[in-house]
Amino acid sequence: MRMLTKIAASAVLLAALAAAPAQAAGWKPTGPITLSVAFGAGGITDTLARLLADQMKKDTGWNIVVKNRPGGGGVAMLAGLSRAKPDGLNIGIAVNMPIVMQLIVRPAKIPFRIKDFDYLGTVVWAQLAIIALKNAPYSDMEGLIAYAKKSGKPLTVAHDTKPQAMIMNAIARAAGIKAKMVPHKSGAEQMQSLLGGHVDLAFGGGAHIPYYKAGKITAIASVNQRRHGYAPDMRTLIEQGLNYYVDPFFYISAPKGLKPEARAALSNAVKAAVNSEKMTKFLANTMKTAPTDLGPADTEKMMYGTRKTIKVLLESTK
Amino acid sequence: MPSLNRLTGVACALAGLCLLLVVIPDQVEAIEDSGVQPATVPTAVAWVLMVAGTFHALFPTGDTPLDVPEALRAGLFLAIVGGGVYLMSEIGFLYVAPGLVLAIMLVMGERRWFVLWTAALPVGIWAILDLWLNRPLP
Amino acid sequence: MFDIATVLAGLGDAITPVNILFVVLGVVVGQFVGAVPGIGPVITIALAIPFTFALSPLSGIAFLVGINKGGLVGGAIPAILINTPGTPDAAATALDGYPLARKGKPLKAAKMALYSSVTGDTFSDIVLITVSPPLALVALMMGPIEIVCLLIFAFAVIAGLIGKSLAKGIVAAALGLLCASIGLDPEHSSPRFIFGVPDLFDGLPIASVAIGMLAAAEIFRRLAARRKKIAAAITFDPDQPREDRRVSWAEYWGCRFTIARGAVIGTLLGAAPGIGTTAASFMSYASAKQTSREPETFGKGNIHGIAATESANSAVMGANMIPMLTLGIPGSVSAALIIGALIIHGIQPGPLLFEQQARLIYGLFGAMIMANFCNFWIGLLGLRLWAFVIRAPESVIFSSAIVLCIVGVYLSTGTLFGVVVMLVFAAIGYAMTSFGYSVVIFIIAFFLGNRFELSLNQSLTLIDGDFSVMLDHPVALALLALAVLTAWWLSRKRSSANDPPT
């Protein structure tokens, strides 16, 4: 499985490398390009952005400066980016979920909309799973729901973002079981609560993988649209008959109004850097997955799709 | 004439009242959901401020080591630095920071020649961060 | 798991010229940035991570750990010399270190800080190396309910630092909690007190508040001080007797219980993630003061105060690695950054780490011990440098310090907004001190406020109105009992101290 993705990645890489210089020749930046990062120094997004910038610099010869602009899960960075000139010298990297969530829940407080940006591509999607301790009396959603109905006791569920809580609430409501949502600050803290037996279920965004490999936890469902590479037998929620998912994407955008040739050059440079060997290795180490660039058109579709997904979730928990 | 110490208690109590009646309703959302309301901790803080502030106004303890002339001078330096930060956002760190250091030292009353050397420090910081570490300053 | 050949091979890996070089480099950089006001080890690690890509995993991580350890030692230097803690962990060091320096004994204060720091650090490293698996269980035992009770206990101990006025201390704590509540609330992620500023979604930047209140406020005070002539920031007689510039063995040995208690507090709080170095150092300081036979000398240059703080905050770091390596749970921001760096190097902290990467881990342990030695020697050498720097005129020291604060906050927060927040809190800190409200109490409440609110929300959700659940949490009940006991003991001490002498 891993081998296959590797081969696929290198094939894409070769194709991209062959294509990139030819198309990039059509447009040249008039100065240094600023890549704004929606989170602070030292985090995964920061490192991702710096790798990306390094690789783009190497491939194209453009000067790219990385700037951190943390605040509101990306709201602060995108607010600034939406006001910048669409000259191709300002691009930003963010994660779709927190942004779209804020746009839906409190639009009046957010100074931009999805349509205010030109989308250039994505870097990777984050895997998210529902997990339980190995000795739990269930190993999939069906068993979980049956158990919860039989015991009559509410399930305690750790989560660290609102959409995670919404998914679990939606499932509980649909299945007629009770669930208590216990907020956490990070995936690592969720693992701590799960391993210590303080909650029944948790959401794993990567921190759970070593525990899965060590046989200490059961992977109950993939919350994404696809299954995960490290646990190919774990079915998605959708496959288990529960029609909910979230797909957190790291994506790159620019202010609306880029010239078509600039947009093409930038998105090609992004594609080549995303599929580079360095990035592939980095993502295999950190997120246990392969790079995924949707390309400009599908990235935009993904953003509107995310909006639809969250709206559906909100409806089903009302 | 009530003492300054007493007045700080009154100010705290009023701040708590203002928090409770104006700021919290305006700046904290009420959630129609089970669980702990976002306003729980701020409301508790507001009540504590009112009770402790009133208590302090009635039975003041401790002291107020306020030195008015010093505070005014500190305000002046704060204004200088604040102005410097504003200029940094407009013009950039490299051009403003040496001037800021010079201005502070001159207002302090320093007139010796080495003030010029100190102004080189921000340039050094800028060189390390911007040129070497690739972390641009404003 | 405990394979002696692997242990030796790992330690051998650590002692290569390249690794020694990077440990030394890390400690030097860490001590330097720790000692410079405004720029701390956390932001330095964040900036240094991309550079470790080019190194081997062991050299890279050893470098980062060296920065971290060096930073804790370095942070005490400005706290002692100019009353502006380089890191918030050193805030309690300033309480006694600065008065001692003002008495003309800055070298004695700095050396006491260095010795107790290295002692505490070494103690917690030994705990890490020998008994981390059982201690990792402590981290797992600490669920939300236990954390709430632990925080209540910590508050009870630290309440001993509330000075003459109880009401003012409570107001300061309430204000700290209020500032901590700015930003998204922990349960519903609904924004509070953001006044339309998206920068406030994530709350007030911790670096801005800490540096503003602890360092910048003091810098403004010193800039504004009325003076006839601009002199050196601190003066001491270069020909002073030897016993005023060193810590004698008898003095060090006299602090052995204080240091040991600090090391144990630091190690325990480090092993239970989420409380942090600042709370540990204040808890250690408060308990040293409360159990002292002469509590009135604290705050006036008692070396026990320095020893308590520095041994505790350094002990947290080693112990922080216990949940970090065995469970992948970071206990602090710098631990989170180091986990990130490990993962980037393809090393996944967690249950399989000791099996799959035992050699690397023992290499890392070797590097940590080496870093402690380096900290000691470089610390002693560095003191000569700082003793020289501090002879510069105040005008130079404080104008440079404020620029460094601006740079440090800008790097940490990524925006000039963060710098503005720092200036606002410098003003608030200045005002609070001027009106006799404790900045220290405010900072502790601010630092622990978020964790307290989150854990309280979690606990209330789990308890769900049925408080008999508490009976399943003996650790929590024990901590609560300790908190009540401490509060009762403190109030008794308080009332007996207030009684007029007969």
Side-chain angles (χ1 to χ4, degrees):
Chain A
M1 182 70 200
R2 203 151 196 198
M3 201 58 208
L4 265 180
T5 46
K6 249 191 184 156
I7 293 171
S10 30
V12 174
L13 170 76
L14 284 177
L17 278 181
Q23 294 197 8
W27 176 82
K28 271 208 162 21
T30 52
I33 298 177
T34 304
L35 171 61
S36 304
V37 186
F39 300 92
I44 186 119
T45 323
D46 180 50
T47 315
L48 215 57
R50 282 169 201 282
L51 271 179
L52 198 70
D54 265 358
Q55 192 65 39
M56 284 168 74
K57 226 184 266 185
K58 228 176 262 167
D59 293 349
T60 60
W62 304 339
N63 183 20
I64 303 177
V65 183
V66 180
K67 257 190 171 170
N68 296 90
R69 185 71 181 84
V75 171
M77 188 278 280
L78 288 174
L81 190 65
S82 68
R83 285 193 301 267
K85 264 194 227 145
D87 50 8
L89 301 186
N90 291 291
I91 57 178
I93 180 165
V95 180
N96 61 340
M97 297 304 296
I99 304 289
V100 177
M101 187 75 200
Q102 293 293 348
L103 275 172
I104 293 175
V105 180
R106 41 187 76 81
K109 289 186 178 159
I110 311 294
F112 56 82
R113 297 290 174 264
I114 293 180
K115 64 173 172 46
D116 293 340
F117 299 92
D118 272 337
Y119 295 88
L120 300 175
T122 59
V123 184
V124 66
W125 56 277
Q127 305 176 110
L128 189 66
I130 297 178
I131 52 175
L133 279 181
K134 193 77 196 173
N135 58 11
Y138 36 77
S139 60
D140 58 5
M141 291 309 291
E142 201 184 343
L144 174 73
I145 291 167
Y147 170 83
K149 275 190 176 151
K150 208 173 114 205
S151 77
K153 273 200 297 191
L155 292 164
T156 47
V157 188
H159 66 89
D160 62 11
T161 57
K162 198 79 192 163
Q164 294 175 3
M166 281 163 35
I167 284 204
M168 209 59 219
N169 272 327
I171 293 173
R173 173 158 318 184
I177 57 175
K178 273 186 281 180
K180 289 196 285 192
M181 297 302 144
V182 188
H184 284 69
K185 273 265 148 72
S186 66
E189 285 185 12
Q190 291 194 50
M191 279 314 296
Q192 187 185 356
S193 284
L194 183 73
L195 293 171
H198 308 289
V199 294
D200 298 322
L201 297 173
F203 283 85
H208 64 293
I209 297 175
Y211 289 92
Y212 177 78
K213 288 191 174 147
K216 301 212 163 162
I217 57 164
T218 310
I220 293 184
S222 155
V223 188
N224 303 95
Q225 274 177 298
R226 278 169 279 183
R227 294 193 187 190
H228 299 172
Y230 62 89
D233 292 339
M234 174 175 64
R235 289 173 299 156
T236 63
L237 277 179
I238 301 170
E239 284 173 313
Q240 303 190 43
L242 298 155
N243 218 349
Y244 309 105
Y245 75 92
V246 291
D247 269 338
F249 268 101
F250 293 77
Y251 74 96
I252 310 209
S253 59
K256 184 91 194 165
L258 286 186
K259 285 196 193 117
E261 61 268 26
R263 190 174 179 186
L266 282 167
S267 57
N268 279 326
V270 167
K271 181 170 249 36
V274 165
N275 291 311
S276 66
E277 194 188 338
K278 240 171 141 186
M279 184 63 87
T280 310
K281 198 175 148 213
F282 170 77
L283 291 175
N285 274 347
T286 52
M287 305 184 67
K288 318 287 171 208
T289 180
T292 311
D293 179 24
L294 294 178
D298 282 350
T299 304
E300 186 159 355
K301 261 192 221 153
M302 177 274 294
M303 291 302 286
Y304 286 106
T306 307
R307 187 169 72 173
K308 209 173 128 200
T309 316
I310 293 185
K311 277 194 170 152
V312 167
L313 272 177
L314 270 177
E315 285 303 314
S316 45
T317 47
K318 263 214 173 103
Chain B
M1 171 78 191
S3 74
L4 184 62
N5 199 7
R6 231 181 250 280
L7 283 178
T8 63
V10 177
C12 287
L14 286 179
L17 192 66
C18 168
L19 193 61
L20 192 67
L21 296 182
V22 183
V23 185
I24 293 179
D26 191 44
Q27 290 293 328
V28 182
E29 297 173 352
I31 301 281
E32 310 165 24
D33 191 1
S34 58
V36 184
Q37 282 291 326
T40 310
V41 168
T43 310
V45 166
W47 280 104
V48 168
L49 282 180
M50 281 191 288
V51 172
T54 312
F55 182 85
H56 184 69
L58 296 175
F59 312 102
T61 44
D63 45 12
T64 50
L66 176 66
D67 175 347
V68 177
E70 189 204 77
L72 290 177
R73 277 172 60 88
L76 171 68
F77 282 106
L78 187 67
I80 294 174
V81 176
V85 171
Y86 173 74
L87 284 179
M88 278 179 203
S89 69
E90 297 288 312
I91 317 175
F93 179 86
L94 178 61
Y95 306 104
V96 177
L100 180 62
V101 172
L102 281 180
I104 292 174
M105 290 199 294
L106 289 176
V107 176
M108 278 179 84
E110 183 63 82
R111 296 288 184 273
R112 286 170 280 180
W113 58 270
F114 57 69
V115 292
L116 292 174
W117 277 109
T118 317
L121 175 84
V123 180
I125 297 175
W126 177 84
I128 291 177
L129 290 169
D130 213 321
L131 298 180
W132 185 46
L133 294 178
N134 221 350
R135 298 273 171 173
L137 288 166
Chain C
M1 181 182 139
F2 211 78
D3 171 14
I4 196 75
T6 318
V7 175
L8 289 178
L11 293 178
D13 288 349
I15 312 175
T16 64
V18 177
N19 285 333
I20 296 175
L21 175 74
F22 277 100
V23 167
V24 171
L25 201 63
V27 170
V28 169
V29 170
Q31 288 200 0
F32 184 79
V33 298
V36 170
I39 302 172
V42 175
I43 183 62
T44 311
I45 293 174
L47 297 185
I49 284 178
F51 287 87
T52 65
F53 295 167
L55 304 176
S56 77
L58 184 55
S59 312
I61 304 301
F63 178 56
L64 299 179
V65 169
I67 295 180
N68 207 358
K69 284 176 177 276
L72 278 167
V73 167
I77 303 282
I80 289 168
L81 295 181
I82 52 174
N83 202 17
T84 60
T87 55
D89 329 305
T93 313
L95 297 179
D96 275 291
Y98 182 62
L100 192 57
R102 285 290 295 267
K103 285 184 187 166
K105 300 177 191 170
L107 289 176
K108 189 191 199 87
K111 282 179 186 165
M112 191 69 226
L114 176 63
Y115 299 157
S116 32
S117 195
V118 173
T119 312
D121 203 353
T122 308
F123 171 81
S124 101
D125 285 351
I126 291 172
V127 171
L128 164 71
I129 294 168
T130 51
V131 285
S132 54
L135 260 183
L137 292 177
V138 174
L140 290 186
M141 237 162 50
M142 302 298 289
I145 297 174
E146 285 80 9
I147 297 268
V148 170
C149 297
L150 178 63
L151 283 169
I152 293 174
F153 175 54
F155 283 132
V157 173
I158 295 169
L161 293 181
I162 295 184
K164 279 176 266 174
S165 171
L166 188 62
K168 281 179 162 180
I170 291 174
V171 165
L175 290 176
L177 272 181
L178 182 66
C179 290
S181 76
I182 292 173
L184 300 179
D185 89 279
E187 185 157 349
H188 307 283
S189 303
S190 137
R192 297 183 295 197
F193 306 120
I194 65 160
F195 301 96
V197 182
D199 290 284
L200 284 177
F201 264 95
D202 297 337
L204 292 167
I206 288 180
S208 304
V209 176
I211 294 173
M213 291 198 97
L214 296 173
E218 177 66 16
I219 293 171
F220 280 115
R221 182 178 304 282
R222 298 293 290 273
L223 284 174
R226 279 163 298 172
R227 51 175 81 77
K228 292 208 180 72
K229 185 172 147 277
I230 295 174
I234 202 143
T235 44
F236 62 98
D237 178 9
D239 303 321
Q240 68 191 163
R242 204 158 156 266
E243 64 263 26
D244 281 350
R245 52 199 305 171
R246 62 188 274 273
V247 176
S248 71
W249 173 252
E251 283 171 313
Y252 176 80
W253 189 242
C255 288
R256 64 191 181 277
F257 293 121
T258 310
I259 294 178
R261 180 175 44 228
V264 171
I265 290 177
T267 305
L268 284 175
L269 287 194
I275 312 289
T277 40
T278 310
S281 54
F282 277 108
M283 273 182 87
S284 173
Y285 181 86
S287 36
K289 183 177 175 182
Q290 292 305 331
T291 53
S292 167
R293 266 186 236 127
E294 32 184 22
E296 68 284 352
T297 60
F298 277 74
K300 294 176 187 154
N302 189 326
I303 52 171
H304 284 268
I306 304 172
T309 311
E310 284 298 314
S311 63
N313 68 23
S314 297
V316 172
M317 277 328 298
N320 248 332
M321 307 275 281
I322 296 172
M324 180 181 126
L325 293 176
T326 53
L327 302 166
I329 297 164
S332 63
V333 185
S334 41
L337 290 170
I338 293 176
I339 287 192
L342 282 167
I343 293 177
I344 290 166
H345 279 288
I347 302 157
Q348 181 77 50
L352 298 178
L353 182 64
F354 280 81
E355 289 164 39
Q356 292 174 345
Q357 307 267 7
R359 191 166 161 174
L360 180 88
I361 294 304
Y362 286 103
L364 179 59
F365 289 165
M368 289 174 76
I369 299 288
M370 251 166 23
N372 289 352
F373 280 108
C374 293
N375 239 340
F376 184 75
W377 292 112
I378 294 170
L380 281 180
L381 276 176
L383 266 181
R384 297 175 185 214
L385 170 71
W386 301 118
F388 175 75
V389 168
I390 207 69
R391 284 189 211 146
E394 279 182 290
S395 54
V396 174
I397 299 273
F398 291 108
S399 60
S400 312
I402 196 74
V403 169
L404 287 165
C405 287
I406 293 174
V407 171
V409 170
Y410 181 79
L411 288 174
S412 303
T413 61
T415 60
L416 277 175
F417 176 78
V419 179
V420 173
V421 173
M422 174 194 86
L423 292 178
V424 169
F425 275 86
I428 294 177
Y430 186 94
M432 283 181 67
T433 313
S434 296
F435 293 123
Y437 290 81
S438 165
V439 167
V440 160
I441 301 281
F442 175 97
I443 284 285
I444 295 166
F446 175 76
F447 266 57
L448 297 183
N450 275 324
R451 167 63 45 180
F452 183 70
E453 191 180 9
L454 175 67
S455 302
L456 189 66
N457 278 7
Q458 294 173 332
S459 303
L460 290 177
T461 308
L462 287 174
I463 292 173
D464 206 10
D466 177 13
F467 281 87
S468 63
V469 177
M470 284 295 285
L471 293 177
D472 299 335
H473 296 268
V475 179
L477 291 175
L479 284 167
L480 268 188
L482 275 175
V484 172
L485 215 66
T486 311
W488 173 76
W489 188 64
L490 278 178
S491 64
R492 252 193 48 174
K493 270 192 90 152
R494 226 189 150 75
S495 58
S496 68
N498 285 347
D499 282 340
T502 44

